[in-house]
Amino acid sequence: MVKVLVSEIFTSLQGEAKYTGNVTTFIRLRGCPFKCTYCDERRSKTQGEEMDIEDIMIEVHRRKNKYVCITGGEPLMQYDELLPLVYELNSFGYVVTIETSGMIPLPIDGYRRSHSFVMDVKCPCSGMEHKNFYENLERLHVQDEVKFVIRNRADIEFAKEVLDKYPTKASVIYSPVDNDVEAMKLIQRALIKKEIKGRIGLQIHKILNIK
């Protein structure tokens, strides 16, 4: 029987990306080998339990939310185990998003997936930019999104260089670290001057101080 390492399952508002503001069931998985400077989910590295897909589905059904976000931790550490869960969720009509750090290779899909990825590309402010797996950008589909977390001008320049070198079909989001106002202004100016393409994405769960 397939088991998945789960840190917690909870209901909240989706705080970022294209489904922002929707009431969502979050399945937070356990485990992440990386150490981003701004990580706010360190508990998920070590805390959690093995759960059968059937038990996870019972929790999801009980919450009666259309949107399901699989996050972490780093979900791609368990991708083979996750796929049966994703297929089960899709079969019941749930809209499934998987959040990933961008530092583990995505599957090479020759077909349109029923789920979408929200993938980070780690900027220098993360301390993990040397771990990026840049080939992931060409593996993203049109329904996917790629996110750059921005703290300063160096991060803006980094994001620009990455996208120039590695074009992607995914939508692009620039997210200021911890909704920092100065970082917001940097992104705003760069977008208006057309130095970068995409849109700004604020983390409303942090504005509201919720999970």
Side-chain angles (χ1 to χ4, degrees), residues 57 61 83-96 114:
M57 290 301 299
H61 290 324
L83 278 179
L85 171 61
V86 172
Y87 295 150
E88 187 75 0
L89 289 165
N90 290 150
S91 73
F92 282 94
Y94 292 106
V95 178
V96 180
S114 54

Side-chain angles (χ1 to χ4, degrees), residues 23 30 32 59 81 205 211:
V23 179
R30 191 183 84 183
C32 180
E59 277 294 307
E81 293 79 10
H205 57 293
K211 276 188 178 181

Side-chain angles (χ1 to χ4, degrees), residues 182-195:
E182 291 307 313
M184 289 183 207
K185 291 178 180 178
L186 282 172
I187 297 167
Q188 172 203 3
R189 287 194 289 267
L191 287 169
I192 289 173
K193 291 181 179 179
K194 296 184 168 35
E195 296 176 13

Side-chain angles (χ1 to χ4, degrees), residues 95-114:
V95 178
V96 180
T97 302
I98 299 175
E99 297 182 338
T100 178
S101 67
M103 296 185 276
I104 292 178
L106 290 170
I108 300 174
D109 297 312
Y111 57 92
R112 184 176 176 86
R113 286 181 267 97
S114 54

Side-chain angles (χ1 to χ4, degrees), residues 157-198:
E157 293 295 335
F158 177 84
K160 184 175 182 295
E161 289 173 11
V162 168
L163 292 173
D164 284 345
K165 189 172 182 179
Y166 301 97
T168 182
K169 296 176 183 176
S171 300
V172 181
I173 305 168
Y174 305 93
S175 179
V177 171
D178 295 326
N179 292 326
D180 178 75
V181 174
E182 291 307 313
M184 289 183 207
K185 291 178 180 178
L186 282 172
I187 297 167
Q188 172 203 3
R189 287 194 289 267
L191 287 169
I192 289 173
K193 291 181 179 179
K194 296 184 168 35
E195 296 176 13
I196 52 177
K197 295 180 180 179

